[in-house]
Amino acid sequence: MSGLRPQVRALVFSAVRATPSASRREVGRRNAARLGLAALVALAEFFALGGSVYGARSVGLTLFSAAGWGLVALAITRLSLVRGPSMLGRPTRALLTMAVACAPIVFCWAAATAGAQGASADWGLHARCLGATILLSAPPFVAFLYARRHSDPVHPAALGAALGAASGAWGGALIDLHCPVTHVAHLGAAHVMPIALFALAGAALGKRVLSLR
Amino acid sequence: MIAARTFHFDMHASFRAVTQSAADVAMDRYANGDAGAFGAVYDAVAPRLHAYLRARSGSDAIADDVVQQTMLRIHTARGSFQQGAQVMPWAYAIARRLLVDRSRRHRREVLTLDGESPAEGASSADLPADDAVHAAQLERRLDVELARLPEAQRAAFELVKREGLSMAEAAAVLGTTATAVKLRAHRAYVSLRAALGSAFGAEGADR
């Protein structure tokens, strides 16, 4: 059997010397800075939109509802962004389950914590709120993709979908604080649907952006 | 002979379990910024990758090329290496992905058995001359029969039986479940046993 040629070692070491790479500490610092910046941009957008608006819901119920959204977003972010004990990340099935289950879970939560059903909004308000949710979800989406770019050798599309769902859930948590409309049709169309949109976008971008190539 | 091969696989798996922790420690040091640790990572990872890639591609040149690319990917992504993680399943996954990409680009180059002689097993080294010849022949036949298996079954068999990965590790490398890997490896084993039945049967009669 022919073994590994010594020339390969020389070539690899030469390429390694010529190619800079960041240590774990540097990567951690950069990712923390990116995630912090994304949080600041999302919060700036949130306050630019007008901040918290409570409407018919009590302050306590609104905060409770947003906390539920945030908890789901945090869990999916933690499970998809952090690989866990294996360098190969979470199993494909777990990532896909998170991506698919996120929207129904938060929709049920939002409907349960909506309080008294107000009048359904018109299409203009649906569209405006949908746009705001997408705007609020975009910074974490970009930061998550950047933090994990070119790092997944096994299932980049599934990882992208899970990260997209997490981004949509973060945007939903902020819009839940901002939007006073609690009709389920509005919640589904304007608050929850971006989760599915970002999950699809993440799946589409995953192979190109997240794949370790 | 099947018993001898299984013993050979088990011996390699045990040996690898010992060296694996050394590779992981070296990778951990490298991820923390110790540039000198890359040599230890290379020495622990590259030969195993090469053997795996050569068995998959049937070509030393392709194996050399993919080993280079894989080691460079490990270098550039070192900062993302998780503390306490295992480097080998990661390296196999990267190498496998690079080989698949390469085979898509050069479909006719990869996964053929012509050109170079098939890999000979190290197991024949310690065997008596007749057995060594028989083992070498069987190894060649095994490689030929392996190449005829469906890709999914072959990959599962090689990672579990040849490379000594656990079902869970192989499942992670292949992006599937441990149950699926177990099933594929078993089907590969059954197919190989049927294809190499006469050789196995002769060995069984000897024992």
Side-chain angles (χ1 to χ4, degrees):
Chain A
M1 180 172 89
S2 307
L4 184 58
R5 290 181 300 128
Q7 296 95 307
V8 175
R9 183 187 173 95
L11 287 169
V12 168
F13 276 67
S14 167
V16 162
R17 275 192 296 273
T19 312
S21 73
S23 69
R24 185 184 285 149
R25 181 176 290 188
E26 290 165 326
V27 168
R29 210 164 37 218
R30 287 177 197 170
N31 283 342
R34 285 176 192 131
L35 294 176
L37 182 65
L40 283 176
V41 171
L43 285 173
E45 290 172 354
F46 172 71
F47 287 111
L49 288 168
S52 298
V53 179
Y54 300 110
R57 282 193 300 181
S58 67
V59 174
L61 184 59
T62 305
L63 293 177
F64 182 62
S65 173
W69 278 81
L71 206 61
V72 172
L74 187 66
I76 298 178
T77 303
R78 173 82 175 78
L79 289 172
S80 54
L81 196 62
V82 180
R83 292 173 208 252
S86 168
M87 277 306 290
L88 303 175
R90 312 287 173 185
T92 311
R93 195 174 289 180
L95 291 170
L96 290 176
T97 301
M98 285 190 279
V100 171
C102 181
I105 288 171
V106 291
F107 180 72
C108 292
W109 174 256
T113 57
Q117 291 283 302
S120 179
D122 59 22
W123 283 105
L125 187 57
H126 284 332
R128 217 166 40 247
C129 209
L130 175 66
T133 311
I134 290 171
L135 197 69
L136 292 166
S137 305
F141 184 61
V142 172
F144 293 162
L145 290 187
Y146 219 80
R148 288 297 306 270
R149 77 189 197 286
H150 303 313
S151 71
D152 194 311
V154 183
H155 40 40
L159 175 63
L163 292 175
S167 311
W170 281 116
L174 289 175
I175 205 69
D176 195 51
L177 282 171
H178 170 71
C179 177
V181 181
T182 54
H183 195 276
V184 285
H186 179 76
L187 293 175
H191 297 195
V192 176
M193 196 164 68
I195 293 174
L197 295 178
F198 275 91
L200 288 173
L205 289 172
K207 204 160 189 180
R208 182 180 292 254
V209 177
L210 303 173
S211 181
L212 180 58
R213 299 260 163 102
Chain B
M1 189 52 65
I2 184 82
R5 286 193 64 85
T6 306
F7 177 70
H8 162 61
F9 287 142
D10 291 343
M11 284 289 288
H12 271 239
S14 305
F15 175 71
R16 280 162 186 161
V18 173
T19 57
Q20 192 148 348
S21 59
D24 299 337
V25 170
M27 188 63 219
D28 205 43
R29 280 170 40 218
Y30 191 53
N32 277 332
D34 179 359
F38 185 72
V41 174
Y42 181 90
D43 291 340
V45 172
R48 290 174 59 185
L49 278 185
H50 188 270
Y52 167 69
L53 291 164
R54 196 188 181 290
R56 291 288 306 276
S57 67
S59 161
D60 268 325
I62 292 172
D64 284 354
D65 188 38
V66 178
V67 164
Q68 287 178 55
Q69 292 180 49
T70 305
M71 294 310 298
L72 198 57
R73 297 299 189 287
I74 287 174
H75 160 69
T76 53
R78 67 170 169 156
S80 67
F81 188 76
Q82 299 281 305
Q83 197 160 18
Q86 293 183 319
V87 68
M88 280 315 302
W90 187 43
Y92 280 127
I94 297 169
R96 182 174 175 274
R97 171 53 51 198
L98 290 169
L99 188 64
V100 168
D101 287 350
R102 187 192 168 100
S103 73
R104 282 180 184 150
R105 287 196 305 270
H106 311 283
R107 192 164 289 279
R108 280 186 298 180
E109 274 184 58
V110 185
L111 305 178
T112 60
L113 285 168
D114 57 346
E116 297 176 59
S117 62
E120 292 173 15
S123 60
S124 59
D126 299 330
L127 297 173
D130 285 353
D131 283 358
V133 170
H134 186 61
Q137 287 172 346
L138 188 59
E139 190 97 32
R140 278 190 213 102
R141 282 194 60 194
L142 181 64
D143 283 340
V144 171
E145 295 302 334
L146 261 176
R148 289 182 180 150
L149 291 176
E151 170 62 18
Q153 288 182 22
R154 185 168 60 145
F157 184 86
E158 284 178 340
L159 285 175
V160 173
K161 297 293 184 185
R162 282 193 153 169
E163 302 305 318
L165 265 64
S166 69
M167 295 291 175
E169 288 169 348
V173 169
L174 298 172
T176 185
T177 62
T179 309
V181 170
K182 197 172 180 178
L183 193 65
R184 289 173 192 175
H186 177 70
R187 281 180 180 160
Y189 179 79
V190 170
S191 300
L192 290 172
R193 195 170 61 177
L196 305 175
S198 57
F200 291 149
E203 177 62 26
D206 290 345
R207 286 189 291 114

